[in-house]
Amino acid sequence: MRKEGRAVVFPTDKSGKFCIDTYENYVAGMEEHVMKDKIITTKEKENIVRQLNGHSSMLSKALGLCRDH
């Protein structure tokens, strides 16, 4: 069913066990979580990723992580 797109399998929040749901029900349930999300372009996403990688690199250097490797 999953390969055919009729079902979605995902881990639950509390127990971490897997849940199987219909695609339609899953999309309807997630709507409240994504309805206010801003749609961005691939270029915007790449810029955000580049910026976060830079922040992570500087934080790692500031904390001295992986200094001896």
Side-chain angles (χ1 to χ4, degrees):
M1 289 175 60
R2 185 180 58 81
K3 288 181 182 179
E4 297 169 358
R6 295 186 298 138
V8 180
V9 180
F10 55 93
T12 60
D13 291 340
K14 295 180 182 174
S15 69
K17 295 181 180 181
F18 289 103
C19 180
I20 300 173
D21 201 353
T22 64
Y23 179 77
E24 293 80 15
N25 193 41
Y26 177 77
V27 170
M30 294 305 293
E31 183 64 28
E32 68 179 289
H33 300 288
V34 299
M35 59 193 264
K36 295 181 182 178
D37 288 356
K38 177 184 172 190
I39 305 297
I40 63 172
T41 65
T42 301
K43 186 173 181 175
E44 288 173 306
K45 183 204 87 153
E46 290 169 356
N47 287 336
I48 293 168
V49 169
R50 190 177 310 108
Q51 187 176 26
L52 289 173
N53 284 339
H55 289 308
S56 297
S57 176
M58 290 298 113
L59 182 60
S60 176
K61 289 177 184 177
L63 297 176
L65 300 176
C66 302
R67 186 179 340 182
D68 298 328
H69 292 83

